[in-house]
Amino acid sequence: MITRRQTLQLLGTAAATVYLGMSLPALAQNVSAQDLAVQGPMGDIALGPADAKVTIIEYASMTCSHCAHFHATTWPELKKRYIDTGKVRFVLREFPLDPLATAGFMLARCDGKDKYYPITDLLFDQQKNWAFVDKPLDALRAMLKQAGFSQEKFDACLKDQKLYDAVNAVKNRAMEQFKVDSTPTFFINGQRHPGSLSIDELEKIIKPMLGE
């Protein structure tokens, strides 16, 4: 198990240590929607109504290029067509593949629930500018400074052991209970769908669930 100290040490290394989204075989298919609904120690930050007919849970890593592709291409249309219209409830859950991704999620969680999606969207959108550079920690600090983080707040967030443990608890439960082994992995009303889905692929799944 990687400690918080090791995380901070690794953040200073070249981003060559970052693992990209893996394409490992799925070990399990559908899971219980009731089990999926159990939230981690930080709670879920959901978009869309609680009584939506369709719930999408995405397990992602901030340093996963496939996740960034999904959030650049599919996410805007999914949000506009289905989340903003109240048809779908969406939850992004933490599945960091490396210490740098853990740090990204910690920073997203550190500034309150209202900032979670704006910060994760920013980090996905700018992924190549911080995740794959020689000094990723410096790049992250500069990026989050524009989002209102002081250096003190930035450093305090990454030293928060409780937050570090909570992020990893979400990942560990997904690995152990739901057999998540790659990112992104989506659970749509309990149905497992790994990989960066296009909006067309998503619609083929969710439209029958919505009765459309």
Side-chain angles (χ1 to χ4, degrees), residues 51-80:
D51 60 351
K53 288 184 178 180
V54 175
T55 296
I56 299 175
I57 296 175
E58 177 192 4
Y59 284 96
S61 176
M62 296 308 309
T63 53
C64 159
S65 59
H66 302 294
C67 303
H69 177 75
F70 171 83
H71 281 269
T73 57
T74 305
W75 170 246
E77 285 301 311
L78 172 65
K79 188 173 186 297
K80 181 175 71 174

Side-chain angles (χ1 to χ4, degrees), residues 63-140:
T63 53
C64 159
S65 59
H66 302 294
C67 303
H69 177 75
F70 171 83
H71 281 269
T73 57
T74 305
W75 170 246
E77 285 301 311
L78 172 65
K79 188 173 186 297
K80 181 175 71 174
R81 298 182 194 181
Y82 294 99
I83 298 171
D84 292 346
T85 56
K87 296 179 179 180
V88 167
R89 183 173 178 83
F90 179 87
V91 176
L92 175 66
R93 285 184 180 169
E94 297 84 354
F95 197 89
L97 296 176
D98 55 78
L100 190 55
T102 303
F105 276 124
M106 290 172 71
L107 291 164
R109 283 281 188 174
C110 210
D111 205 23
K113 291 186 175 183
D114 290 343
K115 296 292 185 67
Y116 183 68
Y117 286 101
I119 291 177
T120 54
D121 284 348
L122 172 67
L123 295 183
F124 279 132
D125 182 55
Q126 298 293 320
Q127 188 186 76
K128 65 180 181 181
N129 295 324
W130 64 273
F132 308 121
V133 298
D134 288 339
K135 295 182 178 180
L137 186 59
D138 291 346
L140 262 182

Side-chain angles (χ1 to χ4, degrees), residues 5 10 20 41 51 57 106 117 125 143-144 149 152 174 193:
R5 181 182 295 275
L10 286 169
L20 299 180
D51 60 351
I57 296 175
M106 290 172 71
Y117 286 101
D125 182 55
M143 193 173 300
L144 269 296
F149 276 68
E152 292 76 15
H193 297 276

Side-chain angles (χ1 to χ4, degrees), residues 5-38:
R5 181 182 295 275
Q6 289 171 310
T7 296
L8 295 175
Q9 290 172 343
L10 286 169
L11 283 172
T13 63
T17 59
V18 173
Y19 296 97
L20 299 180
M22 301 175 290
S23 297
L24 300 177
L27 299 178
Q29 294 303 316
N30 301 342
V31 302
S32 163
Q34 186 175 358
D35 289 341
L36 274 170
V38 177

